[in-house]
């Protein structure tokens, strides 16, 4: 995994993961890893500061919940309406970026 690539696209990956439904940190890490075939393997030290930043920006909302499996409450994050708008904007930005790069390096657009 290239940490710089992850850093540049972390918000997009997190917002898109939360679009699938509420998740807590461990689920987010597992979902991103599974969805990328293991290419992105996040650490908690990368994830939680990003989640706190996205929450502060109003893109996600976190709430402590006790899971059905029991144990201590965990913070479960959901995508807000503002976050859905931001996700759409970030997807568009990413699409423009990949088309531009493909214009230089070739390959399918």
């Amino acid at each position: 995994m290239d940490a710089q690539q992850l850093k540049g696209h972390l918000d997009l990956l997190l917002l898109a993961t939360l679009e699938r439904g509420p998740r807590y940190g461990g689920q987010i890490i597992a979902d991103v890893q599974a969805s990328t075939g293991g290419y992105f393997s996040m650490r908690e030290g990368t994830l939680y500061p990003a989640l706190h930043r996205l929450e502060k920006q109003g893109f996600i909302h976190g709430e402590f919940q006790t899971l059905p499996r029991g144990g201590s409450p965990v913070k479960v994050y959901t995508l807000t309406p503002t976050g859905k708008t931001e996700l759409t904007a970030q997807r568009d930005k990413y699409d423009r970026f990949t088309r531009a790069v493909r214009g230089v390096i070739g390959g399918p657009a």
Side-chain angles (χ1 to χ4, degrees), residues 8-57:
H9 303 292
L10 182 58
D11 290 359
L12 174 61
L13 295 173
L14 296 177
L15 294 173
T17 299
L18 291 174
E19 182 182 41
R20 299 175 191 160
R23 305 274 193 280
Y24 61 89
Q27 287 175 310
I28 294 169
I29 289 171
D31 285 357
V32 169
Q33 187 168 5
S35 296
T36 63
Y39 186 78
F40 289 126
S41 180
M42 270 188 272
R43 295 192 174 141
E44 290 181 1
T46 299
L47 176 66
Y48 287 105
L51 290 173
H52 295 153
R53 183 176 36 74
L54 291 170
E55 188 173 21
K56 188 175 180 179
Q57 292 172 314

